[in-house]
Amino acid sequence: MLQKTRILTTILLLMVTSQMTFGQGVSTAEWSSKVWQAASDGNWDAVEGLFNDVPDANLDFSSTLSEQIETYRTHQEKAVQTTISDRDEALTEMKAHLAEEEILQAMQKAVEAQTLSKNLDTVMFNEDIQAVVNRTKKEINGLIKSGNLLTAQTLMYYLRTFYEDTARRDLYERWNERLEEITLEISILRQYAPKHLHELKARRAELLGDDLPEAYNEQAGDNWKERIDGIEPAMLIRAIDIATAEHMNQVSWEALIASGLKSIRNLGEMPVISETFTKADDRSLRNFWIDAVDEEIESLPQYLKHIPGKRVLIQTLERLLLMNDNAMELPVGVIIREFGDGSMKELDKYSAIIWPDESRRFEQQTEGRFVGVGIQIRENENGEIMIVNPIEGSPAYYGGIQPEDVILKVNGKSANGWSLNDAVDRITGPKGTIVTLTVRRPNHDNPIDLQLTRDSIKLHSVQGWWKKELDDDGQPVWDWMIDKGNNIGYIKLTSFSEESYGDILDAIQEIKSDGQPNGLILDLRYNPGRL
């Protein structure tokens, strides 16, 4: 594809040069523009059609142009043949995996073969692929019954991918919904049954032929305590009250309460959480909990006909906490947090309750400044601390940290089993002090040690059209003009922090330094909010 693009660029440069040299008419310019647009859209059939209808420009370079078009066609044909060969190889490997009952690998190859096919819909009806898809669906059901949720999740991911961008949008939506459901269940395992989840990771790694995860760190079994520390029912009531009153989707009390109830119902369907909460091992107590929550869900519409939503929520929580005393005796914070996170799933993906254990990291983002090495982190699917991005101009940025690096150690101490707060506490520290991060990097055999000096970090929520350079302090220097000809400025606001207002005023002053703009674009796309 890269070679094809280079050849196409050469062809278009020839057309542009010939226009500049010989002043050819508009038809040539239009043809060049159409070729470039079709190539940019990936519409190679349209490109080929345009090459069959080159304008008669009487160019001195016409022979060279013809040679370049012929070279392009040769490379295109080679690419097509290579793709066909790769697809056939994937299909052969798929059938071999299926014969060996290696369903996970077979489904991987099915998706690979589909990706290499010209028509995603047609390949769905390939008899061999259908056999793999049907076997995968049966395998998922069996894995769920046996409790192997992690491998079932992986297979669901491949099935969802298989139906994506095909005519079977209905099947894509179905598997996407099931994937979200099982992902929620796995998040419960991560919090309240981490040892069991570690065993599932090992089983999946064995199936895939991957390296086994590090030995289980018993410290991970206590992370849930930090997660619920300081949580009170009033927090949940206030959050849902605000959501119903102020969220742009005008979501109802019924939708939010029902979603929260469904979330905590899952706790009764997962006996493995007895790893942390011993009474969850008693089937009768779990059934009592499930029946009680089901009754709440069924009665909810009737309650809301006669009682205001906020009062219904308060009464529902009171009944749930009372019933919990006769069921699995879960900590109150667990019920409140799972209920709240379940409720928020009814809103958009940017809306969430900021719980006490998250408040410190949230405040760093909203204040726009902190002392550290300048990394954004999250838990990956294996519960490891993974780098999302190094912050531009920070010690991590200059020190060699890369996205998707996994933090293995901080100052020689293993990060296995740490919570995000554990990682933040150990990585941040006084300005000018040194911290050593040991990271695992994709496609690297051995861990990498990186020494970083902590410094004041500024989070940039205001950006321009394109970055010209970094100044001596590592701060970006922006070009704020999206259209210099018409004098149109551009400001992108990625989030709302304490620094945003002043930074926007500074940006406007820089824009005005070149004269009063005729217009200004304020880009708020993907802005998750905050202050």
Side-chain angles (χ1 to χ4, degrees):
M1 181 61 73
L2 180 60
Q3 182 64 23
K4 182 162 66 175
T5 304
R6 286 173 177 165
I7 295 167
L8 182 60
T9 302
T10 302
I11 293 170
L12 294 174
L13 284 172
L14 279 167
M15 294 305 299
V16 171
T17 303
S18 62
Q19 291 171 59
M20 291 172 62
T21 305
F22 297 102
Q24 295 299 324
V26 175
S27 61
T28 303
E30 290 176 343
W31 180 86
S32 300
S33 178
K34 287 179 180 179
V35 172
W36 184 254
Q37 186 60 54
S40 299
D41 293 340
N43 189 349
W44 300 105
D45 289 338
V47 171
E48 184 62 30
L50 287 163
F51 283 168
N52 289 328
D53 190 25
V54 178
D56 183 13
N58 297 317
L59 305 174
D60 287 350
F61 290 122
S62 60
S63 60
T64 304
L65 178 62
S66 298
E67 289 175 7
Q68 289 292 335
I69 290 177
E70 188 58 36
T71 302
Y72 161 82
R73 285 174 169 156
T74 300
H75 280 276
Q76 185 184 40
E77 181 60 30
K78 287 181 179 178
V80 169
Q81 293 304 318
T82 299
T83 300
I84 291 172
S85 176
D86 290 345
R87 183 202 61 197
D88 291 344
E89 183 179 350
L91 287 170
T92 300
E93 292 179 15
M94 177 194 74
K95 290 165 68 175
H97 286 306
L98 183 62
E100 294 295 325
E101 286 292 305
E102 297 169 346
I103 310 305
L104 195 54
Q105 291 89 339
M107 193 64 216
Q108 283 178 320
K109 289 298 176 181
V111 171
E112 182 181 334
Q114 183 192 40
T115 305
L116 293 166
S117 300
K118 188 173 183 179
N119 189 309
L120 298 181
D121 288 332
T122 301
V123 76
M124 281 197 302
F125 301 102
N126 176 286
E127 184 176 344
D128 294 327
I129 284 183
Q130 277 296 306
V132 171
V133 169
N134 291 332
R135 184 67 182 83
T136 297
K137 292 175 181 178
K138 291 180 181 178
E139 185 75 2
I140 287 172
N141 291 333
L143 289 167
I144 291 174
K145 286 181 181 178
S146 68
N148 193 346
L149 300 184
L150 208 57
T151 304
Q153 179 196 41
T154 304
L155 283 172
M156 283 184 188
Y157 171 79
Y158 286 128
L159 266 182
R160 185 190 67 173
T161 303
F162 181 76
Y163 290 115
E164 192 172 6
D165 296 327
T166 69
R168 296 307 307 269
R169 182 72 185 180
D170 57 326
L171 293 176
Y172 169 80
E173 295 289 354
R174 182 188 304 172
W175 286 106
N176 186 57
E177 184 177 346
R178 289 196 65 183
L179 183 61
E180 289 179 355
E181 290 171 355
I182 201 168
T183 299
L184 178 61
E185 293 180 20
I186 290 170
S187 72
I188 292 175
L189 295 183
R190 180 171 292 118
Q191 302 306 328
Y192 311 120
K195 190 171 185 177
H196 177 73
L197 183 61
H198 186 273
E199 292 169 359
L200 295 183
K201 291 174 187 175
R203 288 162 66 181
R204 184 178 64 178
E206 195 172 343
L207 278 173
L208 289 170
D210 293 340
D211 293 335
L212 293 177
E214 286 187 47
Y216 176 68
N217 184 347
E218 296 293 339
Q219 177 185 331
D222 289 331
N223 284 347
W224 67 274
K225 295 177 182 178
E226 180 183 279
R227 192 168 179 266
I228 69 166
D229 186 39
I231 289 180
E232 299 289 343
M235 297 175 182
L236 170 62
I237 295 165
R238 174 64 175 155
I240 293 182
D241 192 17
I242 292 172
T244 56
E246 300 182 17
H247 195 272
M248 60 181 291
N249 290 345
Q250 297 182 325
V251 66
S252 68
W253 280 98
E254 181 175 354
L256 291 175
I257 295 173
S259 185
L261 287 168
K262 290 173 184 175
S263 179
I264 62 171
R265 187 187 190 281
N266 287 339
L267 295 171
E269 293 185 326
M270 304 184 71
V272 292
I273 67 171
S274 61
E275 177 183 314
T276 299
F277 311 118
T278 55
K279 290 200 172 182
D281 198 35
D282 188 320
R283 184 169 183 174
S284 63
L285 295 179
R286 293 200 315 274
N287 287 341
F288 178 81
W289 177 256
I290 291 170
D291 291 343
V293 176
D294 283 343
E295 186 176 338
E296 292 292 337
I297 294 172
E298 187 177 345
S299 304
L300 181 61
Q302 291 301 317
Y303 283 127
L304 288 168
K305 285 182 180 179
H306 308 287
I307 307 172
K310 185 175 181 178
R311 188 62 192 162
V312 169
L313 175 60
I314 293 171
Q315 293 176 349
T316 299
L317 291 176
E318 288 174 349
R319 287 192 298 270
L320 286 171
L321 296 179
L322 186 61
M323 288 182 291
N324 178 54
D325 292 338
N326 298 312
M328 295 180 289
E329 298 183 6
L330 302 172
V332 172
V334 169
I335 295 173
I336 299 303
R337 174 134 192 184
E338 296 304 327
F339 192 112
D341 289 344
S343 295
M344 293 301 105
K345 292 186 182 300
E346 288 296 304
L347 307 178
D348 63 278
K349 64 181 180 178
Y350 297 117
S351 297
I353 299 172
I354 306 302
W355 299 106
D357 72 305
E358 301 168 324
S359 61
R360 185 152 50 91
R361 297 192 302 275
F362 183 77
E363 286 168 2
Q364 285 183 350
Q365 293 172 323
T366 55
E367 289 170 0
R369 289 184 181 274
F370 65 96
V371 174
V373 298
I375 53 174
Q376 296 173 322
I377 60 175
R378 69 173 178 86
E379 282 188 4
N380 65 13
E381 64 174 13
N382 293 322
E384 299 169 309
I385 308 299
M386 188 180 81
I387 308 294
V388 178
N389 269 312
I391 297 169
E392 197 166 48
S394 69
Y397 179 82
Y398 287 118
I401 291 288
Q402 295 183 11
E404 297 189 13
D405 283 351
V406 171
I407 298 176
L408 301 178
K409 297 178 182 178
V410 177
N411 287 336
K413 293 183 178 179
S414 173
N416 185 25
W418 283 3
S419 67
L420 290 176
N421 278 343
D422 288 332
V424 170
D425 287 341
R426 289 164 173 80
I427 295 170
T428 57
K431 182 176 179 179
T433 57
I434 293 175
V435 60
T436 300
L437 302 187
T438 303
V439 302
R440 184 181 72 240
R441 181 165 295 165
N443 302 319
H444 281 66
D445 294 333
N446 299 313
I448 303 169
D449 287 333
L450 298 169
Q451 272 197 348
L452 308 172
T453 302
R454 299 179 178 107
D455 201 352
S456 296
I457 307 299
K458 178 177 170 63
L459 300 173
H460 296 282
S461 62
V462 177
Q463 301 174 0
W465 177 237
W466 65 276
K467 184 164 50 238
K468 295 190 289 188
E469 59 182 345
L470 296 179
D471 65 18
D472 293 339
D473 296 324
Q475 303 303 311
V477 178
W478 295 101
D479 185 336
W480 301 99
M481 302 304 294
I482 190 172
D483 185 343
K484 287 183 171 61
N486 292 302
N487 203 22
I488 305 296
Y490 172 93
I491 295 175
K492 181 176 178 63
L493 184 60
T494 60
S495 66
F496 293 91
S497 75
E498 295 282 6
E499 304 275 339
S500 298
Y501 179 65
D503 288 347
I504 284 180
L505 292 181
D506 290 342
I508 291 172
Q509 289 304 313
E510 287 189 42
I511 292 171
K512 286 184 175 180
S513 66
D514 293 328
Q516 183 69 28
N518 293 324
L520 174 67
I521 294 172
L522 181 60
D523 188 348
L524 296 172
R525 290 174 300 172
Y526 314 114
N527 185 325
R530 299 194 179 102
L531 287 184

